[in-house]
Amino acid sequence: MQTAPSTNLSDPEFVKGILAGDRAVLSKVITLAESTREDDLRRAEGLLKTLLPHTGKSVRIGITGVPGVGKSTFIEQFGGLLTKSGKRVAVLAIDPSSQKSKGSILGDKTRMEHLSRNPHVFIRPTPTGLALGGVSYHTRETILFCEAAGFDVILIETVGVGQSETIVRGMVDFFLLLLLAGAGDELQGMKKGIVEMADGIVINKADGENLKATNQARADALSALHLQAASSSGWIPRVLTMSAIENRGIEETWHMIEEFQRHTSSSGYFQHYRNEQKKKWLDESIDQKFRELLHAPALRKQKEKLMEEVMNDSMLPAEAANEFWKQLTIFLRGK
Amino acid sequence: MQTAPSTNLSDPEFVKGILAGDRAVLSKVITLAESTREDDLRRAEGLLKTLLPHTGKSVRIGITGVPGVGKSTFIEQFGGLLTKSGKRVAVLAIDPSSQKSKGSILGDKTRMEHLSRNPHVFIRPTPTGLALGGVSYHTRETILFCEAAGFDVILIETVGVGQSETIVRGMVDFFLLLLLAGAGDELQGMKKGIVEMADGIVINKADGENLKATNQARADALSALHLQAASSSGWIPRVLTMSAIENRGIEETWHMIEEFQRHTSSSGYFQHYRNEQKKKWLDESIDQKFRELLHAPALRKQKEKLMEEVMNDSMLPAEAANEFWKQLTIFLRGK
């Protein structure tokens, strides 16, 4: 049984709306790309292909940090700064509340009060009910749609649990880690692998009584960064400090990212990294198809039968796997 | 070009030799199962299928710990104790030297001097040049061959780097973690996830000047274990201490494992866990076939072409993935 199509816009209306930077149309196309209906997905793909020549011109920034580090406030201030200098900003945000409540956009509206009312900002909460800390399989497509809609900076927020960071790192140009000027063991709370992925670290709440702790956090961060091999581009990750009260650090963060862009663009690494990410995207898409096949009812049934054979020792797993692939071939042929 | 078959034994000779507990024949069949030749692999599979009714009667024990914790000495003493009580012991060992030197069996002979001369012991170094800390894709088959050859206890040693532990945990009944009675931060050196997988922890070198440190290590281990949810079987992981000098801990370790066996056998969990592992083995075999397909030259070539299309934006990754699966279907049909 087919449900009603998810939208009543025509393809030309979609393309026109997106290229005009219409946030409502942008929102609709992302919903289309996140649909569970096969025809919606095919349509979103077609639209994306049409829009492809208009993508790629933003700087894509991943922002991570443990809950409580001040990601929302940072994004609120950072986004505000960027729009003041004439930039349009898209925020692909993780709404922590929505992970439990199965998602209301209200969470982000409250979290980023000013940004959510800023006409130059597009905030999109990632779909809820997803694994991997809210990062969607479709986040890459969402980035491209936002770029086609003329957004200059794309901020992708993750919750700092580990797996989602690796995924986000694979789709952004610059990966920013927020730390708290608390105890020296802040770094240990953050998985070592995440620190190693950072192009820049910002130590938040570096003011007042925290100043001593800031120095410790800074030293820890620097030593963690020094332990890692320099990136192939030659970019050396920086550690900045930030204070919302003292109005310090936000502008410096943007300058750091601009410098990163200059540095990696002139050496060709900016594009090189993006190409590598594209290659990985294809690999992941091929894998994804495999996962989907494994969930096809006909094949699941076949697998259950083979599982029984394995359980009562009348088949070896390797044998059963061979047989399964034969069934899979027949299934694919029939499609 | 085919090389010569890896063995000149006939199938009946193999079966007879293995069932008689002949270690030389056992060694040969494992080599067959680890071969890169398709016909060797098919033959090993056939032999394993014949031997399947004779498998499953051992207790499979995974042993892990960071380098220097004393794994070799532990296995030497533990294996010695078991053979004294009439048991036959197979050791699937990781030879640390072989990881660099591309593998001489001499390493294990030196590491476990007594065991290697014990006629009731079979020592098999894991093939070198493999990823995942020396755990082989064929280790599960090796376990079954050893069981068919009448070995009562199978010890599988891993190097404590993380990924290999998860794999070994998925093929043993009891997972033993060795810690050192050193500083309290021993536990932190060991990845938290590994501690959580343990059915038992043994703190090594718990004697002399180390006694105070032992108490700390013990407290740390217990608190790490308490933080985790009880296993579904109701087995509560134990923490023991051990001293080679004071000849203490080895027997206690075996008693712990015997009690684990009694506990989980009476509740049915021993078999339940094995069944779950078998299911996972099938899943992994299906995945493995997919990885092998991706490496088939014809398909690699196809993928490279599609990659080019993706790189110059004339195809979306999702589209290219669809196309790749079409090619894969054609390839499978032709096989």
Side-chain angles (χ1 to χ4, degrees):
Chain A
M1 204 184 68
Q2 289 282 72
T3 50
S6 305
T7 177
N8 49 12
L9 284 178
S10 71
D11 278 11
E13 282 169 333
F14 259 125
V15 172
K16 204 181 148 196
I18 293 163
L19 290 178
D22 184 323
R23 295 182 296 173
V25 178
L26 176 59
S27 199
K28 273 184 184 156
V29 83
I30 295 171
T31 303
L32 206 62
E34 287 168 354
S35 166
T36 51
R37 287 172 51 114
E38 192 66 20
D39 56 343
D40 282 348
L41 295 178
R42 292 295 86 77
R43 226 187 132 194
E45 259 178 56
L47 290 167
L48 186 53
K49 204 171 169 182
T50 310
L51 294 164
L52 224 38
H54 303 277
T55 64
K57 288 180 202 88
S58 82
V59 50
R60 306 162 185 169
I61 304 169
I63 298 174
T64 194
V66 293
V69 75
K71 286 193 293 294
S72 317
T73 314
F74 175 84
I75 292 172
E76 176 99 344
Q77 298 187 339
F78 192 61
L81 170 83
L82 294 172
T83 54
K84 260 179 226 153
S85 69
K87 297 205 183 317
R88 297 182 72 220
V89 179
V91 183
L92 312 183
I94 286 156
D95 173 359
S97 69
S98 74
Q99 298 207 308
K100 279 183 190 158
S101 67
K102 293 247 161 193
S104 92
I105 196 170
L106 271 175
D108 284 319
K109 298 245 188 236
T110 331
R111 273 197 322 134
M112 302 174 202
E113 211 189 324
H114 293 288
L115 277 193
S116 65
R117 285 179 306 202
N118 187 324
H120 305 296
V121 174
F122 175 73
I123 299 183
R124 177 81 184 189
T126 50
T128 52
L130 287 171
L132 304 174
V135 185
S136 157
Y137 176 63
H138 298 288
T139 303
R140 280 198 181 91
E141 287 158 17
T142 304
I143 292 171
L144 295 177
F145 281 125
C146 289
E147 290 180 342
F151 287 92
D152 307 291
V153 180
I154 322 259
L155 305 178
I156 301 144
E157 182 191 1
T158 72
V159 286
V161 291
Q163 219 176 343
S164 56
E165 276 62 42
T166 311
I167 298 172
V168 168
R169 163 75 285 191
M171 49 177 81
V172 297
D173 304 312
F174 191 95
F175 194 67
L176 184 69
L177 170 62
L178 296 190
L179 290 176
L180 211 58
D185 56 359
E186 283 308 319
L187 267 182
Q188 289 169 20
M190 182 56 72
K191 283 193 181 164
K192 211 174 132 252
I194 296 181
V195 179
E196 285 167 5
M197 292 191 294
D199 298 302
I201 293 177
V202 170
I203 296 166
N204 202 2
K205 302 186 190 171
D207 43 41
E209 289 178 4
N210 281 332
L211 271 180
K212 204 183 153 194
T214 303
N215 290 333
Q216 186 56 47
R218 200 159 187 273
D220 287 350
L222 280 169
S223 99
L225 289 172
H226 281 160
L227 289 174
Q228 74 187 81
S231 85
S232 43
S233 74
W235 170 260
I236 296 160
R238 311 241 174 112
V239 181
L240 303 178
T241 58
M242 180 176 140
S243 161
I245 300 167
E246 299 177 8
N247 196 19
R248 178 171 45 79
I250 284 291
E251 219 160 320
E252 288 81 351
T253 303
W254 178 240
H255 289 157
M256 167 171 68
I257 294 171
E258 280 185 314
E259 205 179 319
F260 171 86
Q261 257 192 301
R262 269 196 302 275
H263 179 93
T264 53
S265 295
S266 65
S267 63
Y269 269 99
F270 192 85
Q271 196 52 47
H272 171 72
Y273 289 143
R274 283 206 173 171
N275 288 347
E276 291 301 309
Q277 290 181 350
K278 238 178 185 174
K279 283 183 192 168
K280 227 178 150 192
W281 187 6
L282 174 58
D283 282 333
E284 284 169 18
S285 301
I286 289 171
D287 269 22
Q288 176 69 13
K289 290 256 161 238
F290 180 48
R291 304 290 141 208
E292 283 167 17
L293 272 172
L294 292 182
H295 282 96
L299 288 173
R300 281 177 74 153
K301 221 168 166 178
Q302 287 292 344
K303 208 181 107 184
E304 270 162 38
K305 272 189 206 162
L306 292 167
M307 193 70 90
E308 272 173 44
E309 301 279 326
V310 170
M311 293 317 278
N312 62 29
D313 279 348
S314 50
M315 252 192 184
L316 281 172
E319 226 181 332
N322 270 334
E323 183 55 34
F324 179 79
W325 271 94
K326 276 183 200 153
Q327 298 298 337
L328 192 141
T329 310
I330 294 166
F331 178 81
L332 283 169
R333 213 186 308 179
K335 267 179 88 173
Chain B
M1 208 183 65
Q2 289 282 72
T3 50
S6 305
T7 177
N8 49 14
L9 285 178
S10 71
D11 279 10
E13 282 169 333
F14 260 125
V15 171
K16 204 182 148 198
I18 293 164
L19 289 178
D22 185 322
R23 294 182 294 173
V25 178
L26 176 59
S27 198
K28 273 184 186 157
V29 83
I30 295 170
T31 303
L32 206 62
E34 287 169 353
S35 166
T36 50
R37 287 171 50 114
E38 191 66 21
D39 55 344
D40 282 348
L41 294 178
R42 290 296 86 78
R43 227 188 130 192
E45 259 179 56
L47 289 167
L48 185 54
K49 203 171 170 181
T50 309
L51 293 164
L52 224 38
H54 304 276
T55 64
K57 287 181 202 89
S58 81
V59 50
R60 307 162 184 168
I61 303 169
I63 298 174
T64 194
V66 292
V69 77
K71 285 194 295 293
S72 317
T73 315
F74 175 84
I75 291 172
E76 177 99 345
Q77 297 187 342
F78 192 61
L81 170 83
L82 293 173
T83 55
K84 259 180 230 155
S85 69
K87 296 205 184 317
R88 297 182 73 221
V89 179
V91 183
L92 312 183
I94 286 156
D95 174 358
S97 69
S98 75
Q99 299 208 309
K100 278 181 189 160
S101 67
K102 292 245 159 197
S104 92
I105 197 171
L106 272 174
D108 284 318
K109 299 248 185 232
T110 331
R111 271 199 321 135
M112 301 174 202
E113 213 189 322
H114 293 287
L115 276 192
S116 65
R117 286 178 307 202
N118 187 324
H120 305 296
V121 173
F122 175 73
I123 299 184
R124 176 80 184 190
T126 49
T128 53
L130 287 171
L132 304 174
V135 185
S136 156
Y137 177 62
H138 298 288
T139 303
R140 279 199 181 89
E141 286 157 19
T142 304
I143 292 171
L144 296 177
F145 281 124
C146 289
E147 289 179 343
F151 286 92
D152 307 291
V153 181
I154 322 258
L155 305 178
I156 300 143
E157 182 190 1
T158 72
V159 286
V161 292
Q163 219 175 343
S164 56
E165 277 62 42
T166 311
I167 297 172
V168 168
R169 162 76 283 191
M171 49 178 81
V172 297
D173 304 311
F174 191 96
F175 194 68
L176 184 69
L177 170 62
L178 296 189
L179 290 176
L180 210 58
D185 57 1
E186 284 309 318
L187 266 183
Q188 290 169 19
M190 181 58 69
K191 282 192 182 167
K192 210 172 132 255
I194 295 180
V195 179
E196 285 167 5
M197 291 190 296
D199 298 302
I201 294 177
V202 170
I203 296 166
N204 202 3
K205 302 184 189 171
D207 43 41
E209 290 178 3
N210 281 333
L211 271 180
K212 203 182 154 194
T214 302
N215 291 332
Q216 185 58 45
R218 199 159 186 275
D220 286 351
L222 280 169
S223 98
L225 289 173
H226 282 159
L227 287 174
Q228 73 187 79
S231 85
S232 42
S233 74
W235 170 259
I236 296 160
R238 311 244 173 111
V239 181
L240 304 178
T241 59
M242 180 176 142
S243 161
I245 301 167
E246 299 177 9
N247 197 18
R248 179 169 44 79
I250 284 291
E251 220 160 318
E252 288 81 350
T253 302
W254 178 240
H255 290 158
M256 167 170 67
I257 294 170
E258 279 184 316
E259 204 179 319
F260 172 85
Q261 256 191 302
R262 269 196 301 275
H263 179 93
T264 52
S265 295
S266 64
S267 62
Y269 270 99
F270 192 85
Q271 197 51 47
H272 171 73
Y273 289 142
R274 284 205 173 171
N275 289 348
E276 291 299 310
Q277 291 181 351
K278 238 179 187 175
K279 283 184 192 168
K280 227 178 152 192
W281 188 6
L282 174 58
D283 282 334
E284 284 169 18
S285 300
I286 290 170
D287 268 22
Q288 176 69 11
K289 290 258 160 233
F290 180 50
R291 303 292 142 207
E292 282 167 19
L293 273 172
L294 292 182
H295 282 96
L299 288 172
R300 281 176 75 152
K301 221 169 166 178
Q302 286 293 345
K303 207 181 111 184
E304 271 162 38
K305 271 188 206 163
L306 291 167
M307 193 69 91
E308 272 173 45
E309 302 278 328
V310 169
M311 293 318 278
N312 63 30
D313 280 348
S314 49
M315 251 189 185
L316 280 172
E319 227 182 330
N322 270 333
E323 183 55 34
F324 179 80
W325 271 94
K326 275 183 199 153
Q327 298 297 338
L328 192 140
T329 310
I330 294 167
F331 178 82
L332 282 169
R333 214 185 308 179
K335 267 181 89 172

